[in-house]
Every structure is written in C-alpha cells, then in structure tokens.
Amino acid sequence: MSKPRRALGPRSRIPRRILIIHGPNLDMLGTREPEIYGKESLARINERLGRIAKRESAVLETFEAAMREP
C-alpha cells in the first residue's frame, strides 16, 4: 500500500492564500492611545505580514472590517 499524497505542501503549485480581516478602527493603531495599543501602525503590521507571506510563497490579502451600525 502506498503512502497517501499530501494535497498541499511546500512543493505544491497552488499558492497558499491567507486572508486577514482586521477589526474596525485598527487603522487608528499607532496614533490612538499608543501607551495602551502600541506605536506600530496597521500599515506597518500589514507590511510585516506581507514579507512573511512572500517568504512562505503565500498570497496575502488584508482588509479592515467595517463597523456595523446598531
């Protein structure tokens, strides 16, 4: 009996896709209450995630969820 083949793996030709859905108001990171939330901006975080995704041969998509009205 042969070993089952992995559907996805490091040699797969199908790029892995990563979707990051940021919560509302995260665009305020780095400016709003930096003593609590830190000084790093959402853009900078997305840049770092993009570099990691590229290194791992993955496609990264990020967006910020809209705040819903009650």
Side-chain angles (χ1 to χ4, degrees):
M1 184 183 238
S2 64
K3 282 175 99 175
R5 295 178 72 181
R6 291 179 61 178
L8 295 175
R11 296 182 184 160
S12 175
R13 293 183 185 177
I14 302 170
R16 290 176 285 176
R17 296 179 55 88
I18 301 171
L19 173 64
I20 305 286
I21 305 171
H22 296 294
N25 298 324
L26 285 183
D27 60 326
M28 299 297 293
L29 283 176
T31 58
R32 182 177 176 193
E33 300 182 78
E35 65 280 355
I36 295 173
Y37 301 110
K39 296 179 181 178
E40 191 168 28
S41 69
L42 184 58
R44 179 78 173 118
I45 291 168
N46 285 338
E47 287 172 13
R48 284 193 303 123
L49 291 170
R51 284 195 304 274
I52 293 167
K54 185 176 181 178
R55 183 183 70 216
E56 299 297 325
S57 300
V59 176
L60 175 70
E61 183 177 352
T62 64
F63 70 94
E64 184 178 356
M67 193 165 185
R68 290 180 42 179
E69 294 293 326

